[in-house]
Structure formats: structure tokens, C-alpha cells
Amino acid sequence: MVIVAIVAVCAVLLVLAFLLPRLSRHPQRGTQRALGIGSRAGSSAPGALGRLLSKPFRSSSRAVGRSGSAGRRARSRSPF
């Protein structure tokens, strides 16, 4: 369920970054901030459990960042 939500957010952000590059930065930062809160909460667990609990949030945040930058990069390369 969570994976589907992250994929949907990345897809929406990709389209938004392609159509409105400047306006896509705020939703991207908000999503990354929310995922960062989850990552910090998960990493408060001791030892390897903390790394295990925070990893999905870190990788999701990285995916959101890559999705936004890919949309803006594709827009800059487009001929129009």
C-alpha cells in the first residue's frame, strides 16, 4: 500500500515538474520533509533496527527527489 502511494506521488511530481518546473519544488520539498520526519523517527530505534526502519523513508525521499529533477531536466531538454 505504501509502495503504491510513493509511486503515485513520484508520478504526480514527475508530471508536475515537467509542466510547471518552478511550482513543483514546493510539493517536492514538502514530501521530502514528511519522509524525513519518518526517517528520523525510525532511526531513533537502537542499532540495526533503526537503520532497517529508516531505510524505506530514505529511499522514498531519494525517489521523490529524482522524480522531480527528472521532470525538470526533461522539460529543459524539450524543444518547446
Side-chain angles (χ1 to χ4, degrees):
M1 185 71 176
V2 175
I3 295 171
V4 173
I6 294 299
V7 169
V9 166
C10 287
V12 167
L13 192 60
L14 181 70
V15 171
L16 184 65
F18 185 78
L19 297 177
L20 304 166
R22 289 185 184 174
L23 295 177
S24 69
R25 292 194 184 269
H26 189 70
Q28 177 184 349
R29 286 183 188 146
T31 306
Q32 285 182 317
R33 184 176 298 134
L35 291 169
I37 290 170
S39 176
R40 284 191 300 277
S43 68
S44 66
L49 182 63
R51 287 190 298 275
L52 185 67
L53 291 176
S54 69
K55 185 176 179 179
F57 293 103
R58 280 192 318 242
S59 60
S60 297
S61 177
R62 194 169 44 227
V64 167
R66 286 182 181 177
S67 176
S69 67
R72 286 186 289 275
R73 191 171 52 245
R75 171 66 182 252
S76 70
R77 292 179 181 173
S78 65
F80 50 90

